Amino acid sequence: MNISHTRFVTVPVSDQDRAKAFYVDTLGFEVVSDRAVGPIRWLQVAPKDAQTSFVLATAEMGFTPGNLAATLLESTDLDADCAELAQAGVEVHGPVDYPWGRQAKFADPDGNTWVLAAPVPAGF
């Protein structure tokens, strides 16, 4: 096998403009691509300099909004990011300390759930 990385993850959304505002304005992602591909809009966002991006896909593309669950995003400052999300009106659960590290959970406007995690502790 010669698989090197995940190129993108599909995030099912009901409204691409609303989702774009959340991922870009609230989470600080960048727009990788926003263009028409035939009858659909290909909207792809990603954290700055990330190898993996997220395609914000609608029902017209065959996806049901809100079906993404517990995709993990790593944060270099979990407490600050949780505080910033809460200040932006996002309901954040945590952070909670687990044997494998600190994590918090939140959802996007469509109910897709995310885990925001500190780096895995050394030796785990």
Side-chain angles (χ1 to χ4, degrees):
M1 297 299 295
N2 298 292
I3 298 168
S4 63
H5 66 278
T6 300
R7 183 180 300 170
F8 66 80
V9 173
T10 302
V11 179
V13 301
S14 59
D15 180 319
Q16 286 177 307
D17 288 323
R18 180 180 71 171
K20 180 181 178 182
F22 178 79
Y23 287 93
V24 172
D25 300 337
T26 303
L27 296 184
F29 288 10
E30 298 177 338
V31 175
V32 174
S33 180
D34 189 352
R35 59 190 161 96
V37 179
I40 65 166
R41 178 181 179 191
W42 185 262
L43 178 54
Q44 193 171 355
V45 298
K48 183 175 174 43
D49 298 326
Q51 233 183 344
T52 302
S53 61
F54 300 93
V55 174
L56 306 179
T58 60
E60 293 81 22
M61 297 168 74
F63 298 95
T64 304
N67 278 342
L68 185 76
T71 299
L72 192 140
L73 301 170
E74 187 168 301
S75 168
T76 57
D77 191 339
L78 181 61
D79 292 313
D81 287 343
C82 287
E84 192 171 331
L85 285 170
Q87 186 174 10
V90 177
E91 185 175 340
V92 179
H93 302 277
V96 175
D97 292 315
Y98 296 103
W100 54 87
R102 298 185 79 228
Q103 297 182 345
K105 295 180 183 177
F106 68 93
D108 74 5
D110 284 293
N112 295 300
T113 60
W114 296 87
V115 175
L116 188 59
V120 175
F124 184 76

